[in-house]
Amino acid sequence: MGNDTVTLTDNATGKHIELPVLKGTDGPDTIDIRNLFKELGYFTFDPGFMSTASCESKITFINGKQGELRYRGYPIEQLAEQSSYPEVCYLLLYGELPAPQQLEKYNQSITHHSMLDEAIRRFYSGFRHDAHPMAIMVAVVGALAAFYHDTMDVHDPVAREIAAHRLIAKMPTIAAWSYKYSIGQPYVYPRNELGYTANFLRMMFATPTEDYESNPVYERAMDLILILHADHEQNASTSTVRLTGSSEASPFAALSAGIGSLWGPAHGGANEAVINMLEEIISSGKGLQHYIDRAKDKNDRFRLMGFGHRVYKNYDPRAKIIRKICHDLLAELGANNPNQELLDTAMKLERIALEDDYFVERKLYPNVDFYSGIIFRAMNIPMNMFTVIFALARTVGWLSHWMEMISDPEARIGRPRQLYNGYQKRDYESLDKR
Ligand code: SDX
Protein backbone atom coordinates (compact mmCIF):
# COMPACT_ATOMS: atom_id res chain seq x y z
CA MET A 1 0.00 0.00 0.00
CA GLY A 2 1.02 3.66 -0.23
CA ASN A 3 3.24 5.21 2.41
CA ASP A 4 0.18 6.71 4.05
CA THR A 5 -0.74 3.39 5.69
CA VAL A 6 0.96 0.76 7.83
CA THR A 7 0.10 -2.94 7.72
CA LEU A 8 -0.53 -4.77 10.98
CA THR A 9 -0.45 -8.55 10.83
CA ASP A 10 -1.81 -10.78 13.57
CA ASN A 11 0.64 -13.69 13.47
CA ALA A 12 -1.78 -15.80 15.54
CA THR A 13 -4.46 -15.71 12.83
CA GLY A 14 -2.56 -14.45 9.76
CA LYS A 15 -5.16 -11.70 9.51
CA HIS A 16 -3.84 -8.21 8.72
CA ILE A 17 -5.24 -4.71 8.37
CA GLU A 18 -4.08 -1.47 6.80
CA LEU A 19 -4.02 1.41 9.27
CA PRO A 20 -3.95 5.01 7.98
CA VAL A 21 -0.91 7.17 8.82
CA LEU A 22 -1.98 10.70 9.81
CA LYS A 23 0.56 13.44 9.11
CA GLY A 24 0.73 16.70 11.06
CA THR A 25 2.45 19.94 10.07
CA ASP A 26 5.38 19.09 12.39
CA GLY A 27 6.44 16.29 14.70
CA PRO A 28 5.98 12.51 14.39
CA ASP A 29 3.24 11.05 12.14
CA THR A 30 0.55 9.01 13.91
CA ILE A 31 -1.02 5.65 13.15
CA ASP A 32 -4.82 5.93 13.26
CA ILE A 33 -5.85 2.93 15.41
CA ARG A 34 -9.49 3.94 15.91
CA ASN A 35 -10.72 0.85 13.99
CA LEU A 36 -8.18 -1.56 15.46
CA PHE A 37 -10.51 -3.12 18.03
CA LYS A 38 -13.41 -3.36 15.58
CA GLU A 39 -11.29 -4.93 12.81
CA LEU A 40 -8.70 -6.98 14.72
CA GLY A 41 -10.14 -7.31 18.23
CA TYR A 42 -7.15 -5.76 20.03
CA PHE A 43 -6.73 -2.76 22.31
CA THR A 44 -3.35 -0.99 22.39
CA PHE A 45 -1.50 -0.81 25.72
CA ASP A 46 0.29 2.45 26.65
CA PRO A 47 -0.36 3.25 30.37
CA GLY A 48 1.90 6.34 30.57
CA PHE A 49 0.88 7.48 27.07
CA MET A 50 4.55 7.31 26.04
CA SER A 51 3.60 6.65 22.40
CA THR A 52 0.02 7.89 22.27
CA ALA A 53 -1.38 11.02 20.62
CA SER A 54 -4.64 11.69 22.49
CA CYS A 55 -5.92 14.38 20.12
CA GLU A 56 -5.15 16.72 17.27
CA SER A 57 -4.10 20.23 18.27
CA LYS A 58 -2.92 23.49 16.69
CA ILE A 59 -1.91 25.21 19.93
CA THR A 60 1.58 24.20 21.13
CA PHE A 61 4.39 22.20 19.57
CA ILE A 62 7.29 20.63 21.47
CA ASN A 63 10.32 18.97 19.93
CA GLY A 64 11.81 17.07 22.90
CA LYS A 65 14.98 16.03 21.07
CA GLN A 66 15.79 19.57 19.88
CA GLY A 67 14.50 21.26 23.05
CA GLU A 68 12.03 23.38 21.08
CA LEU A 69 8.74 24.89 22.33
CA ARG A 70 6.38 26.98 20.13
CA TYR A 71 3.02 28.61 20.96
CA ARG A 72 0.91 28.76 17.76
CA GLY A 73 4.18 28.47 15.79
CA TYR A 74 6.10 31.23 17.59
CA PRO A 75 9.30 30.03 19.37
CA ILE A 76 9.14 30.52 23.14
CA GLU A 77 12.45 32.42 23.05
CA GLN A 78 10.94 35.14 20.80
CA LEU A 79 7.77 35.41 22.88
CA ALA A 80 9.78 35.63 26.12
CA GLU A 81 11.98 38.34 24.60
CA GLN A 82 9.34 40.46 22.83
CA SER A 83 5.84 39.67 24.08
CA SER A 84 3.80 40.04 27.29
CA TYR A 85 1.64 37.53 29.14
CA PRO A 86 -1.69 39.16 28.12
CA GLU A 87 -0.59 39.12 24.46
CA VAL A 88 0.50 35.46 24.78
CA CYS A 89 -2.92 34.66 26.31
CA TYR A 90 -4.60 36.21 23.26
CA LEU A 91 -2.29 34.23 20.94
CA LEU A 92 -3.03 30.91 22.67
CA LEU A 93 -6.78 31.52 22.86
CA TYR A 94 -7.36 32.92 19.35
CA GLY A 95 -4.42 31.52 17.36
CA GLU A 96 -2.95 34.82 16.13
CA LEU A 97 -1.01 37.71 17.67
CA PRO A 98 -3.50 40.53 18.32
CA ALA A 99 -3.63 43.84 16.47
CA PRO A 100 -3.43 46.79 18.91
CA GLN A 101 -7.21 47.29 19.09
CA GLN A 102 -7.78 43.55 19.56
CA LEU A 103 -5.33 43.48 22.47
CA GLU A 104 -6.97 46.56 23.99
CA LYS A 105 -10.42 44.98 23.76
CA TYR A 106 -9.12 41.74 25.30
CA ASN A 107 -7.39 43.61 28.14
CA GLN A 108 -10.56 45.61 28.81
CA SER A 109 -12.60 42.40 29.07
CA ILE A 110 -10.10 40.75 31.43
CA THR A 111 -9.84 43.88 33.58
CA HIS A 112 -13.62 44.01 34.02
CA HIS A 113 -13.94 40.37 35.06
CA SER A 114 -11.18 40.46 37.72
CA MET A 115 -13.39 40.84 40.80
CA LEU A 116 -14.86 37.86 42.67
CA ASP A 117 -18.46 37.67 43.88
CA GLU A 118 -18.44 38.92 47.45
CA ALA A 119 -20.02 35.62 48.57
CA ILE A 120 -16.70 33.93 47.70
CA ARG A 121 -14.97 35.90 50.49
CA ARG A 122 -17.03 33.87 52.96
CA PHE A 123 -15.99 30.71 51.10
CA TYR A 124 -12.34 31.42 51.99
CA SER A 125 -13.11 31.83 55.69
CA GLY A 126 -14.34 28.23 55.76
CA PHE A 127 -10.74 27.02 55.42
CA ARG A 128 -8.18 26.68 58.23
CA HIS A 129 -5.56 29.42 57.97
CA ASP A 130 -2.84 26.86 57.32
CA ALA A 131 -4.73 25.31 54.38
CA HIS A 132 -2.43 24.89 51.36
CA PRO A 133 -3.37 27.61 48.83
CA MET A 134 -3.63 24.92 46.14
CA ALA A 135 -6.38 23.23 48.18
CA ILE A 136 -8.18 26.58 48.32
CA MET A 137 -7.67 27.22 44.60
CA VAL A 138 -9.00 23.78 43.61
CA ALA A 139 -12.13 24.46 45.67
CA VAL A 140 -12.72 28.11 44.71
CA VAL A 141 -12.28 27.51 40.97
CA GLY A 142 -14.71 24.59 41.11
CA ALA A 143 -17.12 26.72 43.15
CA LEU A 144 -17.22 29.35 40.37
CA ALA A 145 -19.54 26.89 38.62
CA ALA A 146 -22.07 27.66 41.38
CA PHE A 147 -21.99 31.31 40.32
CA TYR A 148 -21.93 30.94 36.54
CA HIS A 149 -23.16 27.44 35.74
CA ASP A 150 -26.61 28.62 34.67
CA THR A 151 -25.01 30.91 32.08
CA MET A 152 -22.70 28.17 30.85
CA ASP A 153 -23.73 26.35 27.68
CA VAL A 154 -20.42 24.74 26.62
CA HIS A 155 -21.72 24.55 23.01
CA ASP A 156 -22.28 28.32 22.82
CA PRO A 157 -19.08 30.02 21.58
CA VAL A 158 -20.02 33.34 23.20
CA ALA A 159 -20.61 31.64 26.58
CA ARG A 160 -17.32 29.76 26.16
CA GLU A 161 -15.40 33.00 25.56
CA ILE A 162 -17.00 34.75 28.55
CA ALA A 163 -16.21 31.77 30.81
CA ALA A 164 -12.60 31.74 29.54
CA HIS A 165 -12.18 35.47 30.16
CA ARG A 166 -13.75 35.15 33.62
CA LEU A 167 -11.33 32.39 34.60
CA ILE A 168 -8.22 34.15 33.23
CA ALA A 169 -9.29 37.38 34.92
CA LYS A 170 -10.18 35.88 38.29
CA MET A 171 -7.23 33.53 38.79
CA PRO A 172 -4.86 36.31 40.02
CA THR A 173 -7.52 37.47 42.51
CA ILE A 174 -8.22 33.89 43.65
CA ALA A 175 -4.47 33.20 43.98
CA ALA A 176 -3.67 36.44 45.82
CA TRP A 177 -6.64 36.05 48.19
CA SER A 178 -5.53 32.46 48.96
CA TYR A 179 -2.20 33.93 50.03
CA LYS A 180 -3.70 36.82 52.00
CA TYR A 181 -6.04 34.43 53.83
CA SER A 182 -3.12 32.14 54.73
CA ILE A 183 -1.21 35.04 56.37
CA GLY A 184 -4.27 36.64 57.98
CA GLN A 185 -4.00 39.89 56.01
CA PRO A 186 -6.97 41.72 54.46
CA TYR A 187 -7.81 41.00 50.83
CA VAL A 188 -6.61 43.55 48.25
CA TYR A 189 -8.98 44.24 45.37
CA PRO A 190 -7.82 44.45 41.75
CA ARG A 191 -7.30 47.94 40.30
CA ASN A 192 -8.55 48.64 36.78
CA GLU A 193 -5.72 51.00 35.94
CA LEU A 194 -3.08 48.28 36.48
CA GLY A 195 -1.90 45.69 33.99
CA TYR A 196 -2.48 41.97 34.62
CA THR A 197 0.87 41.10 36.25
CA ALA A 198 1.19 44.37 38.19
CA ASN A 199 -2.34 43.83 39.52
CA PHE A 200 -1.46 40.34 40.72
CA LEU A 201 1.70 41.44 42.54
CA ARG A 202 -0.15 44.34 44.15
CA MET A 203 -2.96 42.03 45.37
CA MET A 204 -0.28 39.73 46.76
CA PHE A 205 1.88 42.28 48.59
CA ALA A 206 -0.06 45.54 49.17
CA THR A 207 -1.43 46.26 52.66
CA PRO A 208 -3.89 48.96 53.81
CA THR A 209 -1.19 50.43 56.04
CA GLU A 210 1.01 51.99 53.34
CA ASP A 211 1.13 52.81 49.64
CA TYR A 212 2.32 49.87 47.55
CA GLU A 213 5.47 50.52 45.50
CA SER A 214 5.50 48.24 42.44
CA ASN A 215 8.89 46.80 41.45
CA PRO A 216 9.36 46.76 37.64
CA VAL A 217 12.08 44.10 37.93
CA TYR A 218 9.67 41.79 39.78
CA GLU A 219 6.88 42.61 37.32
CA ARG A 220 9.03 41.71 34.30
CA ALA A 221 10.31 38.53 35.99
CA MET A 222 6.76 37.46 36.89
CA ASP A 223 5.44 38.28 33.39
CA LEU A 224 8.20 36.07 31.90
CA ILE A 225 7.42 33.26 34.35
CA LEU A 226 3.74 33.43 33.33
CA ILE A 227 4.68 33.34 29.61
CA LEU A 228 6.97 30.33 30.09
CA HIS A 229 4.31 28.38 32.00
CA ALA A 230 1.31 29.35 29.85
CA ASP A 231 1.01 26.10 27.91
CA HIS A 232 2.84 22.87 27.24
CA GLU A 233 0.94 20.57 24.87
CA GLN A 234 -0.76 17.49 26.35
CA ASN A 235 0.87 17.41 29.82
CA ALA A 236 -0.89 15.64 32.69
CA SER A 237 -3.01 18.59 33.84
CA THR A 238 -3.98 19.67 30.32
CA SER A 239 -4.96 16.10 29.48
CA THR A 240 -7.02 16.08 32.69
CA VAL A 241 -8.82 19.25 31.59
CA ARG A 242 -9.51 17.78 28.14
CA LEU A 243 -10.80 14.49 29.55
CA THR A 244 -12.98 16.23 32.16
CA GLY A 245 -14.30 18.71 29.59
CA SER A 246 -15.07 15.90 27.12
CA SER A 247 -18.07 14.93 29.30
CA GLU A 248 -19.40 18.48 28.66
CA ALA A 249 -18.72 19.43 32.28
CA SER A 250 -18.34 23.18 32.84
CA PRO A 251 -14.90 24.75 32.27
CA PHE A 252 -14.87 25.62 35.99
CA ALA A 253 -15.12 21.94 36.90
CA ALA A 254 -12.59 20.99 34.20
CA LEU A 255 -10.05 23.55 35.41
CA SER A 256 -10.56 22.52 39.02
CA ALA A 257 -9.60 18.99 37.95
CA GLY A 258 -6.56 20.33 36.07
CA ILE A 259 -5.41 22.27 39.13
CA GLY A 260 -5.63 19.08 41.18
CA SER A 261 -3.42 17.24 38.66
CA LEU A 262 -0.88 20.08 38.47
CA TRP A 263 -0.49 19.99 42.27
CA GLY A 264 1.43 16.70 42.18
CA PRO A 265 5.22 16.93 42.83
CA ALA A 266 5.90 14.96 39.63
CA HIS A 267 4.21 17.78 37.67
CA GLY A 268 3.58 21.38 38.72
CA GLY A 269 4.37 20.74 42.37
CA ALA A 270 8.02 20.17 41.41
CA ASN A 271 9.05 23.82 41.90
CA GLU A 272 8.04 23.66 45.57
CA ALA A 273 9.75 20.24 45.82
CA VAL A 274 12.97 21.71 44.34
CA ILE A 275 13.27 24.26 47.13
CA ASN A 276 12.49 21.64 49.78
CA MET A 277 15.22 19.46 48.26
CA LEU A 278 17.81 22.29 48.10
CA GLU A 279 17.03 23.30 51.70
CA GLU A 280 17.42 19.69 52.85
CA ILE A 281 20.74 19.41 51.00
CA ILE A 282 21.99 22.61 52.69
CA SER A 283 20.72 21.79 56.20
CA SER A 284 21.73 18.10 56.20
CA GLY A 285 25.41 18.88 55.61
CA LYS A 286 25.68 15.53 53.79
CA GLY A 287 26.93 17.17 50.58
CA LEU A 288 25.59 17.14 47.04
CA GLN A 289 27.13 13.81 46.04
CA HIS A 290 25.13 12.05 48.77
CA TYR A 291 21.92 13.23 47.11
CA ILE A 292 23.14 12.51 43.59
CA ASP A 293 23.90 8.94 44.72
CA ARG A 294 20.44 8.63 46.31
CA ALA A 295 18.81 9.86 43.08
CA LYS A 296 20.65 7.10 41.19
CA ASP A 297 19.78 4.38 43.71
CA LYS A 298 16.92 2.27 42.34
CA ASN A 299 15.96 1.25 45.87
CA ASP A 300 15.60 4.87 46.96
CA ARG A 301 12.45 6.74 45.91
CA PHE A 302 14.40 10.01 46.10
CA ARG A 303 14.64 11.82 42.76
CA LEU A 304 16.36 15.08 41.87
CA MET A 305 13.39 17.42 41.78
CA GLY A 306 13.56 19.79 38.82
CA PHE A 307 15.41 17.25 36.67
CA GLY A 308 14.03 15.14 33.88
CA HIS A 309 11.03 15.47 31.62
CA ARG A 310 8.76 13.07 29.80
CA VAL A 311 9.23 14.89 26.50
CA TYR A 312 12.40 16.96 26.69
CA LYS A 313 15.42 14.72 26.19
CA ASN A 314 17.43 17.92 25.76
CA TYR A 315 17.59 21.07 27.86
CA ASP A 316 14.04 22.41 28.54
CA PRO A 317 14.08 25.65 26.48
CA ARG A 318 12.14 27.32 29.30
CA ALA A 319 14.87 26.35 31.77
CA LYS A 320 17.47 28.14 29.64
CA ILE A 321 15.38 31.34 29.64
CA ILE A 322 14.40 31.14 33.30
CA ARG A 323 18.03 30.41 34.34
CA LYS A 324 19.00 33.83 32.92
CA ILE A 325 16.06 35.55 34.64
CA CYS A 326 17.17 33.90 37.88
CA HIS A 327 20.73 35.20 37.60
CA ASP A 328 19.62 38.69 36.52
CA LEU A 329 17.14 38.94 39.38
CA LEU A 330 19.63 37.82 42.02
CA ALA A 331 22.25 40.18 40.56
CA GLU A 332 19.66 42.96 40.85
CA LEU A 333 19.00 42.03 44.49
CA GLY A 334 22.72 42.07 45.28
CA ALA A 335 24.86 39.63 47.22
CA ASN A 336 23.06 40.20 50.51
CA ASN A 337 19.97 38.35 49.36
CA PRO A 338 19.23 35.32 51.56
CA ASN A 339 18.73 33.09 48.51
CA GLN A 340 22.29 33.25 47.19
CA GLU A 341 23.26 30.03 49.01
CA LEU A 342 20.20 28.32 47.51
CA LEU A 343 21.16 29.44 43.99
CA ASP A 344 24.83 28.51 44.49
CA THR A 345 23.75 25.03 45.65
CA ALA A 346 21.41 24.73 42.66
CA MET A 347 24.17 25.70 40.23
CA LYS A 348 26.61 23.20 41.77
CA LEU A 349 23.94 20.47 41.62
CA GLU A 350 23.23 21.32 37.98
CA ARG A 351 26.91 21.14 37.07
CA ILE A 352 27.51 17.82 38.86
CA ALA A 353 24.34 16.21 37.45
CA LEU A 354 25.11 17.34 33.88
CA GLU A 355 28.51 15.63 34.07
CA ASP A 356 27.26 12.42 35.69
CA ASP A 357 26.77 9.47 33.27
CA TYR A 358 23.51 8.41 34.98
CA PHE A 359 21.84 11.71 34.10
CA VAL A 360 23.62 12.12 30.76
CA GLU A 361 22.64 8.60 29.57
CA ARG A 362 19.00 9.17 30.60
CA LYS A 363 18.98 12.70 29.16
CA LEU A 364 17.87 14.12 32.50
CA TYR A 365 18.35 17.88 32.25
CA PRO A 366 17.10 20.66 34.53
CA ASN A 367 13.49 21.52 33.67
CA VAL A 368 11.54 24.74 34.08
CA ASP A 369 10.76 23.96 37.71
CA PHE A 370 14.42 23.80 38.70
CA TYR A 371 14.79 27.60 38.59
CA SER A 372 11.26 28.97 39.06
CA GLY A 373 11.28 28.15 42.77
CA ILE A 374 14.47 30.14 43.33
CA ILE A 375 13.02 33.16 41.50
CA PHE A 376 9.86 33.02 43.60
CA ARG A 377 11.96 32.82 46.77
CA ALA A 378 13.98 35.84 45.62
CA MET A 379 10.65 37.69 45.19
CA ASN A 380 9.61 36.70 48.74
CA ILE A 381 6.82 34.52 47.42
CA PRO A 382 6.19 31.72 49.91
CA MET A 383 6.79 28.16 48.75
CA ASN A 384 3.16 27.10 49.07
CA MET A 385 2.31 29.72 46.41
CA PHE A 386 4.72 28.40 43.74
CA THR A 387 2.34 25.90 42.18
CA VAL A 388 -0.54 28.36 42.60
CA ILE A 389 1.34 30.73 40.28
CA PHE A 390 2.03 27.87 37.88
CA ALA A 391 -1.75 27.18 37.85
CA LEU A 392 -2.45 30.90 37.29
CA ALA A 393 -0.11 30.91 34.27
CA ARG A 394 -1.38 27.61 32.84
CA THR A 395 -5.06 28.65 33.05
CA VAL A 396 -4.91 30.10 29.52
CA GLY A 397 -3.31 26.90 28.19
CA TRP A 398 -5.95 24.73 29.82
CA LEU A 399 -8.73 26.96 28.44
CA SER A 400 -7.23 27.03 24.93
CA HIS A 401 -7.17 23.22 24.87
CA TRP A 402 -10.67 23.00 26.39
CA MET A 403 -12.04 25.39 23.71
CA GLU A 404 -10.23 23.50 20.93
CA MET A 405 -11.64 20.19 22.20
CA ILE A 406 -15.24 21.27 22.92
CA SER A 407 -15.61 23.21 19.66
CA ASP A 408 -14.46 20.22 17.57
CA PRO A 409 -17.59 18.84 15.86
CA GLU A 410 -16.09 15.35 16.17
CA ALA A 411 -15.46 15.77 19.93
CA ARG A 412 -16.50 12.66 21.89
CA ILE A 413 -16.28 11.74 25.55
CA GLY A 414 -12.86 10.33 26.40
CA ARG A 415 -13.23 6.76 27.61
CA PRO A 416 -10.02 4.64 27.56
CA ARG A 417 -10.21 0.82 27.85
CA GLN A 418 -7.88 -1.49 29.83
CA LEU A 419 -5.88 -4.69 29.93
CA TYR A 420 -7.85 -6.65 32.54
CA ASN A 421 -5.87 -9.13 34.65
CA GLY A 422 -8.14 -9.54 37.65
CA TYR A 423 -10.20 -12.61 38.62
CA GLN A 424 -12.12 -14.41 35.90
CA LYS A 425 -15.85 -15.04 36.47
CA ARG A 426 -16.54 -16.74 39.84
CA ASP A 427 -19.62 -17.37 42.02
CA TYR A 428 -20.53 -15.63 45.26
CA GLU A 429 -19.86 -17.63 48.47
CA SER A 430 -22.22 -17.04 51.34
CA LEU A 431 -20.73 -15.72 54.58
CA ASP A 432 -21.10 -19.04 56.40
CA LYS A 433 -18.99 -20.77 53.74
CA ARG A 434 -15.98 -18.30 53.80
C1 SDX B 1 6.56 19.57 34.61
O1 SDX B 1 4.55 17.19 30.87
C2 SDX B 1 4.86 18.43 30.93
O2 SDX B 1 4.96 19.14 29.97
C3 SDX B 1 5.11 18.91 32.33
C4 SDX B 1 5.62 20.34 32.45
C5 SDX B 1 4.59 21.31 31.97
O3 SDX B 1 4.99 22.44 31.62
O4 SDX B 1 3.40 20.99 32.02
O5 SDX B 1 6.82 20.49 31.72
C6 SDX B 1 5.92 20.70 33.90
O6 SDX B 1 5.84 18.78 35.17
C7 SDX B 1 8.06 19.39 34.55
C8 SDX B 1 8.55 18.10 35.34
C9 SDX B 1 8.61 18.48 36.82
N1 SDX B 1 8.85 17.26 37.63
C10 SDX B 1 10.03 17.07 38.27
O7 SDX B 1 11.01 17.81 38.16
C11 SDX B 1 10.03 15.85 39.19
C12 SDX B 1 11.32 15.05 38.97
N2 SDX B 1 11.23 14.46 37.61
C13 SDX B 1 10.81 13.06 37.52
O8 SDX B 1 9.77 12.76 38.43
C14 SDX B 1 10.59 12.62 36.07
O9 SDX B 1 11.68 13.04 35.36
C15 SDX B 1 9.35 13.05 35.31
C16 SDX B 1 8.10 12.70 36.05
C17 SDX B 1 9.38 14.50 35.04
C18 SDX B 1 9.36 12.32 33.97
O10 SDX B 1 9.18 10.99 34.25
P1 SDX B 1 9.19 9.89 33.06
O11 SDX B 1 9.19 10.51 31.72
O12 SDX B 1 8.14 8.90 33.38
O13 SDX B 1 10.64 9.33 33.19
P2 SDX B 1 10.95 7.99 33.90
O14 SDX B 1 10.35 8.04 35.27
O15 SDX B 1 10.58 6.88 32.99
O16 SDX B 1 12.53 8.10 34.05
C19 SDX B 1 13.39 7.51 33.10
C20 SDX B 1 14.62 7.12 33.91
C21 SDX B 1 14.28 6.22 35.09
O17 SDX B 1 15.46 5.46 35.39
P3 SDX B 1 15.56 3.95 34.74
O18 SDX B 1 14.30 3.21 35.17
O19 SDX B 1 15.63 4.15 33.23
O20 SDX B 1 16.84 3.37 35.33
O21 SDX B 1 15.20 8.31 34.50
C22 SDX B 1 15.12 8.22 35.91
C23 SDX B 1 14.08 7.16 36.25
O22 SDX B 1 14.37 6.57 37.50
N3 SDX B 1 14.72 9.55 36.39
C24 SDX B 1 15.29 10.20 37.41
C25 SDX B 1 14.66 11.44 37.44
N4 SDX B 1 13.73 11.51 36.47
C26 SDX B 1 13.77 10.33 35.82
N5 SDX B 1 16.25 9.83 38.29
C27 SDX B 1 16.60 10.76 39.23
N6 SDX B 1 16.05 11.98 39.33
C28 SDX B 1 15.07 12.36 38.46
N7 SDX B 1 14.52 13.57 38.56
Side-chain angles (χ1 to χ4, degrees), residues 316-330:
D316 182 336
R318 302 166 298 175
K320 279 183 190 161
I321 297 167
I322 209 167
R323 185 174 190 268
K324 185 176 180 317
I325 302 167
C326 199
H327 282 281
D328 294 351
L329 187 64
L330 290 177

Side-chain angles (χ1 to χ4, degrees), residues 7 19 61 72 94 107 148 163 197 281 330 355 360 414 420 423:
T7 303
L19 293 169
F61 177 73
R72 299 286 189 179
Y94 299 106
N107 283 334
Y148 303 113
T197 308
I281 290 171
L330 290 177
E355 289 160 5
V360 174
Y420 176 72
Y423 283 109

Side-chain angles (χ1 to χ4, degrees), residues 232 266-267 298 303-304 306-307 309-310 318 358 367 394:
H232 213 240
H267 187 13
K298 284 286 154 250
R303 287 192 160 181
L304 280 190
F307 279 78
H309 197 279
R310 170 60 58 79
R318 302 166 298 175
Y358 174 94
N367 56 47
R394 187 56 57 89

Side-chain angles (χ1 to χ4, degrees), residues 4-6 18-22 30-35:
D4 55 357
T5 62
V6 292
E18 299 297 323
L19 293 169
V21 170
L22 305 178
T30 61
I31 298 172
D32 184 344
I33 57 164
R34 283 175 285 190
N35 291 326

